[in-house]
Amino acid sequence: MLSEEELQSNVSVASSPTSNCISKGGGLKVHNYFGLSDSSSVESSTLSGNVEDDKATISLKATELTLGLPGSQSPARETELDEKPFFPLLPTKDEIFSSSQKNIASGNKRGFSDTMYTEKNWMFPEAVATQSVVNKEVTQNIPKGQLGTLNNSSSPPAAKAQIVGWPPVRSYRKNTLATTCKNSDEVDGKPGSAALFVKVSMDGAPYLRKVDLRSYTNYGELSSALEKMFTTFTLGQCGSNGAAGKDMLSETKLKNLLNGKDYVLTYEDKDGDWMLVGDVPWEMFIDVCKKLKIMKGADAIGLAAAPRAMEKSKMRA
Amino acid sequence: MNYFPDEVIEHIFDFISSHKDRNSISLVSKSWHKIERCSRKRVFIGNCYAINPERLIQRFPSLRSLTLKGKPHFADFNLVPHEWGGFVHPWIVALAKARVELEELRLKRMVVSDESLELLSRSFASFKSLVLVSCEGFTTDGLASVATNCRHLRELDLQENEIDDHRGQWLNCFPQSSTALTSLNFSCLKGETNLAALERLVARSPNLESLKVNRAVPLDALTRLMSCAPQLVDLGVGSYENEPDQESFMKLMAAIKKCTSLRSLSGFSEVTPLCLTAFYPICQNLTSLNLSYAAEIQGNHLIRFIQFCKRLQRLWILDSIGDKGLEVVASTCKELQELRVFPSDLHDEEDNDTAVTEIGLVAISAGCPKLHSLLYFCKQMTNAALITVAKNCPNFIRFRLCILEPNKPDHTTSQSLDEGFGAIVQACKGLRRLSLSGLLTDKVFLYIGMYAEQLEMLSIAFAGDTDKGMLYVLNGCKKMRKLEIRDSPFGNTALLADVDKYRTMRSLWMSSCEVTLGGCKRLARNAPWLNVEIINENENNDLMMERNEEDEREKVDRLYLYRTVVGARKDAPPCVTIL
């Protein structure tokens, strides 16, 4: 286990260069937040370098016998997005940081989302700080592997460990075990009556999340949980669809998004129709809901009322 | 050989059954090719989109048994959209049209409809065996057609399928004259079963060797079933609804005692721990035990049972058995060849003391010298343990290790697990399948490329640093057939480095990696014999079209490419773009 001093010292090293290398061009994927990736003493040249330098160093490093740190873009958990918005993409010698970075680096498989985080950290450090969840994770900066007891309170249980398709257990097995484990009454022909996971997607978000509908008892709970999960995505939505999303955001627009004014929650029911969430009683809703989708308000106009065919043709137009 | 008449050569070929061997034979000469293809009875197609049914039938007119696989492996983990494809219907239509005398159909990860099953049941008079694994799209109505119309049905094996249970009377549909059943597995059905019909069916099937029932078959019914079928070799138990009373329990035990041929046991979903004890009389005969759905049975009960199973060759179990339990396995099951330890706590809710660690794995490797197949879900691992395992068990053919937390390093040294996996590939010269997990750098791929000469299938998740990692594998593993990668930083450079490599592979899957649309398009242009599929589930079509035109640097969510001789498939859904 890491000692507190080690952790602290790493953090302080990390905090020096905050401003370097925020690249906005498409395709450039190196973002050097707080120099976290460069805390290693061995290859300090990566700290100030531009993308090309970094890449050269990376390739040299790759062949060396290292203490193991892959750094780079593998999302450890989707929850990291909410809690740890900093994810340097460079590999590093510092194993401690590397694992945390790697874990932090959730979602940065997309340049799009990388820049999202750039925006967030750069422009709204206050916003970051006010999110207690985020703050805690930042200062602790503990590698996920050694989180253990330290990561007790900071992550909401619903958000924990819901990377799509991980661990790699067949859905059939997951559903069957879920039912068995909860020791429920004989399943009435439906798999997974104990836990009801549905996928949640959001327009423009780089990947899906999953939620267990049975862990909520009403629409309010579901809504706030989703809001928490997807807040970070909303930042990239301003002028989204590509390059425009990389512009700086104005504070007011951000607030609007965070309030969820621009987004509506929809679901796909058993018949394959997309409906607005909230129309039916909660119990009925969890019975029929197959998928959730957070759509832009504009796209969802007339959703509940329009027959499926019309809606489809509108979307394809 | 060329001076022998064709019939003699054909007769010699009859002795050769392995697909690989028969494929090799067909390459020797034109005449051998012809003889081989005309006499070929069993065909295996690993990717149903690599070829179409018409060409298959043309080449193998004597086809009797067909195995088809549809969706890519990661579909098991919800990474492939529901509507992706893998429909068996066109195959059945074509086979029926050509009047192929199909006897056996085995499908994995395919979409099967009631209509398909109905057509199947009516088109092939000598149809004998239907095996469906991880399929979906059909209901018990389809099963009813099969039961009704397939007069010579011997095997109906449904493994882990998503079947809509209409609670019909499909079991009743087996005609009275149907007595040829050897294998009946409906363990994945969720609804009520007509017990009377089942009992009658079992009673009139003297050749029934394998019976796997679903949850809804209670204890006393099971007792009756076993009494009718003491010749059973393979039994799948359903559920025990209540704590059995003394008398029922004794009756069950008596029935079980008579099943002296019983070698394989599975099921046990929703059971009381006591139920296992009913099987004590025959446990020393067991060679295969699957308790991986028995979430209700505590570790100590499992251990008490397993310590008598001295002949066990295959064990599928939940991690609730714990390291201590695995130590018991190691000291008891000296014949063990295959071990699978599944996670019981899938949502990582507690800090589970009873879960398994590297300790259990090392114990198994030390105690079970014949072990060659492993699937192991655990919370932690060390390089030292893996190195020891490699030393103890150099005979691994399949080694799949899943550390539940992505990127988790060696928990004692905080290093990556490169060295551990490196030791495995170096020692296990016959390794054909490998799944990696934990903290891994490009180095592990260097080792894999260097040492894993027989590796055919590799699964990578959250691993590697740069394109070099993937390149090591593509360049080094000559026998690679299926490569699947998720959430790893491999991009266009690796993807495009050696396009011809994909001729030798069945398929490549890359999701949440660094490959871009531009890279994929370039690949598709350079390799017209590949289907390069881009899957974007959570975009509506408008967005995707715009992105296509605008930004080729846009990263691809999911890429699935595979060699094919029949070009782009026509049944792809909107979320799939074939470049």
Side-chain angles (χ1 to χ4, degrees), chain A residues 58 65 68 70 73-75 102 109-110 144 146 164-166 170-171 173 180 199 205 241 315-316, chain B residues 76-78 160 292 296 404-405 407 414 441 443 462 465-466 486-487 512 514 541-543 555 557:
Chain A
I58 292 167
L65 183 63
Q73 296 85 307
S74 304
K102 204 159 162 108
K109 29 189 186 216
R110 299 229 172 253
K144 200 66 178 172
Q146 273 112 355
V164 175
W166 192 265
R170 274 192 191 162
S171 337
R173 178 176 288 279
T180 322
K199 293 188 189 174
N241 305 351
M315 282 169 72
R316 287 189 209 277
Chain B
D76 282 350
F77 318 130
N78 283 356
E160 301 192 345
S292 62
E296 309 267 312
L404 288 168
E405 198 180 299
N407 302 322
S414 298
T441 74
K443 191 130 205 235
F462 307 102
D465 308 324
T466 73
R486 64 167 291 183
D487 296 281
S512 307
E514 297 293 311
N541 296 326
D542 292 346
L543 260 170
K555 283 189 208 170
D557 191 20

Side-chain angles (χ1 to χ4, degrees), chain B residues 103-106 120 126-131 152-157:
Chain B
E103 291 179 10
E104 182 178 291
L105 186 63
R106 310 166 77 92
L120 172 79
S126 28
F127 193 74
K128 294 193 178 64
S129 166
L130 182 63
V131 180
H152 298 113
L153 194 69
R154 289 204 201 135
E155 182 177 20
L156 180 60
D157 188 358

Side-chain angles (χ1 to χ4, degrees), chain B residues 126-140:
Chain B
S126 28
F127 193 74
K128 294 193 178 64
S129 166
L130 182 63
V131 180
L132 302 177
V133 181
S134 294
C135 297
E136 59 182 350
F138 59 107
T139 77
T140 44

